[in-house]
């Protein structure tokens, strides 16, 4: 199905969009750029920033589709009353794609309620990036029928982003390409990717995974998307272009007016692109090529939507020269000069489960001669069987080296999985050996145990103790929560073996049990043991409680026959 509008050149599109976009967009603040907690550059103003690298955007500032909503679409300004619901083809969103947008927005309302993400924003970005996965050409699970790939980001009219994933996502081992219906570049997908459909994979070509990833990406930095300023910043972080911002906002307002569901595969296909390269279709192969050919005509197979009759460009008889004759080769970038990574004084990385690591990883990018290299992107990746994350909540962080060539990773936070894992540092854009930092998560521990009460624990033979034993665990004076403990009725202070007589606990079937394992303190460090019973043996017995970390407490239990009560002496007979 072809788009309803004829081709508009970039200049005409930009003029039209600017004329109808919300007035507040034109009055936004001055441009600026800062870095977020993971070291990525973030636009602080609501105008594009020339200082923001393409690698810091979701898409690498790849080309996008510039088709406009119909001319009778809703006005972007707020309206009053009940709007008319548009019924044009462009208002229809393929069923599976629409479901993915709405489910992603619902998930974000629960995970980050302060973000106020609307599904209409995801729909607008999905429309501009891929025409809703090429008109909804997806399988039932949301995976596109064929990969959606943007053009090679080789600096030829686009940003230059060298390969960061070995072609794992985009099939290109030379340069990165934007991938999937939401057009993530591989380096961004590495940390932003999500598994939304529960198949165990984070697939940028799956609309459910991609839509949820886009939602989390737009909701980072504490942005509140119900405010125009934060909404602008989030959109600009996706693609650092004012024209892109204006166009996305136009589609947001259009979808806010109303939309409807259409069958998968029947959605309108986009035709006009920001690089003036009209809608070539993606490669028909089910998987992206591992070594894509450089484009030889404007109709290169970019996969960003396109017509139903693809016309791939004929292959060039010889590969294009990397440097045209008569031109000066480009000067090497800082990344090109990096020979290796060196540890920059990272201390031993150890933390208790649930706690932050007190030390941070520091890596230095160096030349072959050992000189530090500034302005190099270093990626830190948590690997191994662990639920530890960086303080950002992610398992990936990308930092720019400082003037000394050093990059310091965000603080690590231990999860509940104990054991060792590795944080690997690599240089983005260079195939050089990475640097591994081992880290260890130890079990939650306590160094002190104390009873919360001081009542003597006594019982008669065959009876039950009136008071349950309750303990409080601390570690270095602080509450020790979720600490594992074991309680055993031992034979004596010198013999920790389990006693075979005296007091006991009961299992679910009422059978005597004298050792309790897998106990755990609560969030306040408290542990209340089950009720204790006594057999017919009298005497003094010991209950010993041990915790991870070495805390031990021994509690004395007494089983004794009840003392006889004294009968009153008989009264003297009257008259005696």
């Amino acid at each position: 199905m072809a788009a309803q509008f004829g081709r508009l050149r970039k200049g005409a599109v930009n003029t039209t969009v600017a004329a109808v976009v919300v007035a507040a967009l034109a009055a936004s603040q001055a441009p600026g750029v800062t870095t977020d907690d993971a070291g990525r550059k973030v636009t602080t103003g609501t105008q594009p920033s020339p200082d923001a690298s393409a690698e810091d955007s979701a898409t690498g500032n790849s080309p996008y589709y510039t088709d406009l909503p119909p001319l009778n679409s809703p006005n972007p300004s707020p309206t009053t009353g009940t709007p008319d619901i548009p019924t044009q083809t462009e208002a229809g969103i393929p069923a599976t794609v629409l479901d993915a947008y709405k489910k992603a927005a619902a998930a974000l309302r629960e995970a980050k309620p302060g973000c106020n993400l609307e599904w209409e924003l995801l729909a607008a970005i999905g429309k501009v990036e891929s025409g809703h996965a090429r008109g909804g050409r997806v399988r039932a699970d949301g995976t596109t029928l064929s990969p959606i790939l943007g053009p090679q980001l080789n600096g030829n009219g686009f940003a230059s982003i060298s390969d960061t994933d070995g072609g794992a996502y985009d099939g290109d081992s030379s340069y990165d390409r934007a991938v999937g219906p939401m057009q993530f570049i591989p380096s961004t997908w590495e940390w932003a990717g999500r598994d939304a459909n529960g198949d165990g994979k984070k697939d940028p070509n799956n609309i459910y995974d991609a839509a949820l990833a886009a939602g989390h990406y737009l909701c980072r930095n504490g942005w509140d998307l119900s405010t125009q300023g934060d909404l602008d910043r989030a959109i600009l972080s996706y693609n650092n272009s004012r024209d892109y911002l204006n166009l996305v906002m136009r589609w947001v307002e259009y979808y806010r007016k109303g939309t409807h569901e259409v069958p998968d595969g029947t959605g309108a296909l986009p035709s006009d692109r920001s690089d003036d390269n009209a809608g070539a279709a993606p490669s028909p192969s089910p998987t992206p090529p591992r070594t894509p050919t450089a484009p030889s005509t404007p109709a290169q197979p970019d996969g960003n939507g396109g017509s139903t009759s693809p016309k791939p460009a004929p292959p060039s008889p010889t590969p294009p020269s990397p440097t045209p004759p008569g031109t000066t080769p480009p000067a090497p970038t800082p990344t090109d000069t990096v020979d290796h990574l060196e540890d920059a004084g990272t201390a031993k990385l150890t933390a208790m489960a649930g706690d932050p690591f007190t030390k941070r990883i520091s890596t230095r990018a160096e030349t072959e001669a050992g000189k530090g290299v500034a302005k190099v992107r270093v990626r830190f990746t948590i690997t191994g069987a662990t639920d530890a994350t960086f303080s950002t909540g992610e398992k990936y962080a990308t930092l720019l080296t400082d003037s000394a060539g050093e990059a310091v990773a965000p603080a690590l936070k231990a999860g509940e999985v104990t054991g060792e894992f590795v944080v690997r540092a690599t240089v983005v854009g260079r195939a050089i050996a990475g640097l591994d930092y081992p880290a260890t998560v130890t079990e939650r521990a306590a160094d002190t145990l104390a009873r919360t009460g001081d009542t003597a624990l006594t019982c008669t033979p065959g009876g039950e103790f009136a008071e349950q034993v309750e303990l409080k665990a601390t570690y270095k004076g602080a509450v020790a929560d979720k600490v594992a403990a074991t309680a055993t009725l031992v034979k004596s202070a010198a013999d920790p073996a389990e006693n075979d007589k005296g007091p006991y606990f009961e299992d679910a079937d009422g059978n005597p049990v004298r050792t309790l394992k897998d106990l755990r303190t609560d969030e306040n460090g408290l542990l209340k043991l089950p009720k204790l019973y006594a057999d017919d043996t009298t005497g003094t017995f010991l209950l010993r409680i041990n915790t991870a970390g070495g805390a031990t407490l021994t509690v004395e239990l007494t089983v004794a026959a009840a003392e006889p009560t004294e009968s009153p002496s008989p009264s003297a007979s009257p008259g005696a």
Side-chain angles (χ1 to χ4, degrees), residues 346-359 361 382-383 385-389 412-423 436-444:
T346 303
K348 185 177 181 180
L349 298 169
T350 303
M352 194 182 296
D355 289 349
F357 285 73
T358 57
K359 307 299 182 182
I361 297 171
I382 297 174
T383 64
T386 182
D387 55 351
T389 65
L412 284 165
K413 187 178 187 307
E416 296 302 322
V417 177
T418 59
E420 294 187 352
F421 64 94
V422 169
V423 179
D436 287 348
Y437 292 87
T440 304
V441 178
T442 60
E443 192 173 4
R444 290 175 181 263

Side-chain angles (χ1 to χ4, degrees), residues 153-467:
L153 298 175
N154 57 9
N156 183 17
F158 315 116
S160 179
I161 303 179
S162 298
D163 174 62
T164 62
D165 66 329
Y169 293 118
D170 57 10
D172 192 330
S173 58
S174 299
Y175 293 92
D176 273 351
R177 297 170 180 252
V179 182
M182 303 304 280
Q183 288 290 276
F184 280 97
I185 55 174
S187 59
T188 301
W189 183 259
E190 277 295 314
W191 63 264
R194 294 293 192 279
D195 175 19
N197 62 356
D199 64 357
K201 298 183 295 183
K202 298 176 182 178
D203 183 2
N205 277 302
N206 181 281
I207 185 58
Y208 287 101
D209 292 359
L212 184 60
H216 278 279
Y217 183 90
L218 293 163
C219 284
R220 70 199 197 287
N221 301 320
W223 283 330
D224 178 0
L225 304 187
S226 66
T227 66
Q228 192 65 50
D230 280 357
L231 179 58
D232 293 353
R233 293 180 188 97
I235 296 171
L236 286 172
S237 78
Y238 213 89
N239 191 312
N240 190 34
S241 161
R242 184 70 187 187
D243 295 334
Y244 181 87
L245 167 63
N246 292 349
L247 183 59
V248 168
M249 278 306 306
R250 182 68 190 273
W251 279 105
V252 167
E253 295 297 341
Y254 183 72
Y255 288 135
R256 282 173 177 168
K257 190 83 170 187
T259 186
H260 57 275
E261 180 183 293
V262 298
D264 289 345
T266 65
L269 291 173
S271 60
D272 299 298
R273 250 184 31 173
S274 60
D275 62 343
D276 287 335
N277 186 2
S283 166
S285 60
T287 56
R290 298 300 297 179
T291 52
T293 334
S296 58
T297 73
Q300 70 176 60
D302 57 53
N304 247 339
S307 66
T308 55
S309 301
K311 296 181 180 179
S316 302
T318 57
S321 171
T323 305
T327 61
T328 303
T333 66
T335 301
D336 295 332
T337 68
V338 177
D339 177 74
H340 60 274
L341 291 175
E342 285 287 341
D343 176 43
T346 303
K348 185 177 181 180
L349 298 169
T350 303
M352 194 182 296
D355 289 349
F357 285 73
T358 57
K359 307 299 182 182
R360 295 172 68 174
I361 297 171
S362 183
T363 299
R364 179 178 160 94
E366 296 184 350
T367 65
E368 187 175 3
K371 182 180 179 181
V373 185
K375 298 182 179 180
V376 172
R377 293 171 63 79
V378 176
R379 179 182 296 126
F380 297 94
T381 306
I382 297 174
T383 64
T386 182
D387 55 351
T389 65
F390 290 112
S391 58
T392 57
E394 308 286 350
K395 288 185 176 290
Y396 307 91
T398 303
L399 283 299
L400 206 62
T401 56
D402 61 17
S403 58
E406 294 183 12
V408 180
L412 284 165
K413 187 178 187 307
E416 296 302 322
V417 177
T418 59
E420 294 187 352
F421 64 94
V422 169
V423 179
R424 174 163 296 172
T426 55
V427 176
V428 176
R430 286 299 306 276
I432 61 176
L435 191 60
D436 287 348
Y437 292 87
T440 304
V441 178
T442 60
E443 192 173 4
R444 290 175 181 263
D447 56 17
T448 305
L449 275 177
R451 279 188 65 196
T452 59
D454 56 6
T455 305
L457 299 170
T458 61
C459 181
T460 57
E464 62 182 52
F465 288 81
E467 183 175 331

Side-chain angles (χ1 to χ4, degrees), residues 455-545:
T455 305
L457 299 170
T458 61
C459 181
T460 57
E464 62 182 52
F465 288 81
E467 183 175 331
Q468 291 176 243
V469 178
E470 185 180 62
L471 314 165
K472 183 167 185 177
T474 57
Y475 183 77
K476 295 182 179 180
V479 166
D481 62 323
K482 301 179 183 178
V483 177
T486 300
T488 305
L489 289 148
V490 298
K491 289 188 174 181
S492 69
D495 186 356
E498 180 182 290
N499 208 338
D500 57 358
K501 58 186 176 181
Y504 60 88
F505 301 104
E506 285 187 349
D507 64 14
D509 298 323
N511 299 314
V513 174
R514 290 187 169 88
T515 297
L516 297 178
K517 298 180 179 180
D518 300 322
L519 302 172
R520 199 165 290 273
T521 61
D522 65 14
E523 64 274 9
N524 298 312
L526 298 176
L527 173 61
K528 192 169 188 176
L529 299 181
K531 185 172 288 190
L532 278 162
Y533 302 88
D535 61 15
D536 293 334
T537 309
T538 60
T540 299
F541 302 90
L542 299 179
L543 170 64
R544 183 164 293 167
I545 302 96

